[in-house]
Amino acid sequence: MNDTSEKKLHFLDYWSVVRYRWAIILIVFLLVVAAAGVTCYFLPREYFSRVLIEVKPDDNTLNVFGGAAGGGIRGTREAGLPQKEFQILLSKVVLYTVIDDLKLIEKWSEDGRRLTKEEAYYRLRKMMSDTKELRLTDMIQIGVYSTDPQEAANIANTVAKVYQEHRKQYQEKLLSDALSQFRESLEEKERAVNEARETVRRIREEKGIIDLNPEGIDSSSEVGGNTVRQSETMVTEAKSRVAELSAQLAQIDQLKPDELMTSLPHLNIQDPTISRLLPLYQEAVLEEARLVGAGLGDRHPKVNSVRAQKHILAVQLNEQVKAIRASLVTRLRVAEAALSNLTTTRQEAKGDLEQDRKNAAEYQVAKENYLQAKKMYDAAKANYDAQVLQFKV
């Protein structure tokens, strides 16, 4: 069985140690404080300068709110700017320019050894350790530490200036590229307008189309419609004339000579010779009937005289009827020939009308395409002019 026992220290034991060795502890504490004070006294003083800049994400413009000043303000909210803006600020593109503008390589080189630009860059980055984005704002704080207060202020102000110039050049390049794209698109639309205008002009000249408003849309009347309607009317009239002449000729062929002479007025055939001889012939017929009815014989001189007169009138009437029939035949042939010509003319007019309609439709499509292209060009031109004006402003 082991007789070893474990000793435990009580609080009073610790107090006993401190009570008997307090002088040594006090001396050590005073030595540490003195060493820290001497070290801080002999270390060079370090100054802090800062510049606040605002970057607006909407239009990416910069506003400088303050120059270099002493003291730092540390944000308490989350960053509200894209990370790339902060990276651009600390990039070599910006800081190399600051190094060249302030000649920091010459200033920082010591012991005959010239710093490289890379070494100067990392030294500057170290001095800008408190450069940051202020949370939930569009602000960036450029903070610079240096043992030279003027150097700290110069670096902070120069970084803000170079970054602002870089952003301005970047924005100008973006706008220039955007305007270049706008200009290319505008030139393409202008070429489309010129091609459409040339197509409209060619169709108008080739098809013989008269357009009193080539730059606007209007509802023009039907091309060739009047000619077709006139041809239809003339053909209808010619058909009626042929039908009338054919009916008259058919009735003349069906009637006996005696019936024909009395039926001509009813057939709407007016002849001055028949109009003059027919009453005399009818009087001779009546006179013959009266003399025979009065008891005169067939050989009676009066009866023979009336019959001779009636015969002469009948011969003249028959000859005139033959002449009228021949005239009807000739007039019918002329009317049929005229009808045939008018029918051909009507068909040609209809063909011309269909072709004119096709030409008009083709021209109308080309014109609508031209006006649409012109409308798109005008809208693009207005947009381009607005962009150029905004760029100049």
Side-chain angles (χ1 to χ4, degrees):
M1 183 176 181
N2 294 331
D3 293 334
T4 60
S5 61
E6 184 178 333
K7 296 182 179 180
K8 297 183 179 180
L9 294 177
H10 194 266
F11 172 74
L12 294 176
D13 297 327
Y14 288 105
W15 171 248
S16 177
V17 173
V18 172
R19 184 178 60 180
Y20 290 109
R21 298 179 182 180
W22 65 270
I24 298 174
I25 296 175
L26 179 60
I27 292 172
V28 173
F29 175 74
L30 291 176
L31 289 175
V32 171
V33 172
V38 171
T39 302
C40 292
Y41 180 79
F42 286 102
L43 283 177
R45 293 184 178 181
E46 191 173 58
Y47 299 90
F48 175 72
S49 296
R50 69 167 185 159
V51 172
L52 294 179
I53 62 175
E54 180 184 18
V55 181
K56 296 181 179 180
D58 292 338
D59 54 3
N60 294 324
T61 57
L62 289 173
N63 291 320
V64 177
F65 280 88
I73 299 178
R74 298 186 180 273
T76 58
R77 296 182 294 178
E78 295 182 357
L81 287 172
Q83 184 66 21
K84 66 176 183 178
E85 299 298 334
F86 190 71
Q87 294 174 352
I88 292 174
L89 179 64
L90 298 177
S91 66
K92 293 182 178 180
V93 175
V94 174
L95 297 187
Y96 273 9
T97 305
V98 174
I99 293 172
D100 293 337
D101 290 348
L102 296 179
K103 296 181 173 53
L104 296 180
I105 294 179
E106 290 79 0
K107 185 176 180 180
W108 291 344
S109 296
E110 298 176 354
D111 301 331
R113 190 182 75 84
R114 181 181 176 85
L115 292 178
T116 64
K117 186 169 286 190
E118 187 78 10
E119 292 173 335
Y121 168 75
Y122 284 109
R123 179 172 175 176
L124 181 57
R125 281 289 301 267
K126 185 177 180 181
M127 295 170 64
M128 297 174 60
S129 60
D130 205 27
T131 299
K132 60 186 177 182
E133 304 171 69
L134 300 184
R135 299 174 188 175
L136 297 180
T137 69
D138 296 335
M139 310 291 291
I140 295 180
Q141 172 184 286
I142 302 174
V144 180
Y145 290 97
S146 177
T147 57
D148 183 355
Q150 188 59 46
E151 181 183 61
N154 290 340
I155 291 176
N157 287 328
T158 305
V159 170
K161 178 182 177 182
V162 172
Y163 177 64
Q164 186 176 15
E165 291 177 352
H166 172 77
R167 292 287 299 163
K168 181 179 179 181
Q169 294 175 359
Y170 177 71
Q171 291 301 318
E172 289 179 352
K173 184 178 183 302
L174 288 181
L175 290 174
S176 178
D177 294 343
L179 288 179
S180 178
Q181 294 179 357
F182 270 113
R183 187 162 50 252
E184 292 177 358
S185 177
L186 185 64
E187 291 174 354
E188 182 179 354
K189 288 181 173 58
E190 186 177 9
R191 287 193 295 270
V193 170
N194 293 334
E195 292 176 359
R197 182 189 294 111
E198 179 62 22
T199 301
V200 171
R201 184 198 62 78
R202 177 181 56 79
I203 294 176
R204 186 169 57 243
E205 292 181 356
E206 290 180 356
K207 308 302 183 181
I209 297 175
I210 299 175
D211 190 353
L212 301 180
N213 187 18
E215 297 297 325
I217 299 178
D218 56 352
S219 55
S220 57
S221 58
E222 183 180 0
V223 180
N226 293 332
T227 303
V228 173
R229 285 190 289 270
Q230 291 176 358
S231 299
E232 291 286 354
T233 302
M234 295 175 66
V235 168
T236 301
E237 293 176 353
K239 286 182 177 180
S240 298
R241 184 59 178 164
V242 169
E244 180 183 2
L245 292 175
S246 298
Q248 291 176 347
L249 187 60
Q251 290 180 355
I252 287 176
D253 292 337
Q254 291 176 0
L255 295 176
K256 296 179 180 179
D258 294 342
E259 297 174 344
L260 180 60
M261 288 185 294
T262 58
S263 300
L264 287 178
H266 303 289
L267 297 177
N268 197 22
I269 298 176
Q270 302 296 330
D271 185 81
T273 301
I274 291 181
S275 299
R276 179 175 57 83
L277 295 178
L278 184 59
L280 297 177
Y281 177 79
Q282 292 174 343
E283 290 179 358
V285 172
L286 293 175
E287 181 64 20
E288 181 184 9
R290 186 182 66 81
L291 293 175
V292 173
L296 297 178
D298 292 336
R299 297 184 179 274
H300 192 279
K302 290 183 178 183
V303 174
N304 290 332
S305 175
V306 171
R307 286 179 176 173
Q309 182 181 4
K310 186 181 73 170
H311 176 71
I312 294 173
L313 291 172
V315 172
Q316 292 177 347
L317 287 172
N318 287 330
E319 293 295 331
Q320 192 63 28
V321 167
K322 293 179 180 179
I324 291 174
R325 186 183 184 285
S327 176
L328 282 176
V329 172
T330 302
R331 289 165 60 189
L332 178 60
R333 291 175 180 174
V334 171
E336 290 174 345
L339 176 60
S340 177
N341 292 334
L342 290 174
T343 302
T344 302
T345 302
R346 181 187 63 180
Q347 293 301 119
E348 292 176 353
K350 286 184 177 180
D352 294 340
L353 176 60
E354 292 298 324
Q355 187 61 42
D356 289 342
R357 286 176 175 174
K358 292 180 180 180
N359 295 339
E362 180 182 1
Y363 175 75
Q364 191 64 27
V365 171
K367 184 176 179 181
E368 290 176 357
N369 292 337
Y370 161 66
L371 294 177
Q372 183 65 23
K374 186 172 181 293
K375 182 179 179 181
M376 295 177 62
Y377 170 77
D378 293 339
K381 183 67 165 58
N383 190 13
Y384 175 76
D385 293 340
Q387 295 294 332
V388 172
L389 181 61
Q390 182 179 358
F391 176 74
K392 291 181 179 179
V393 172

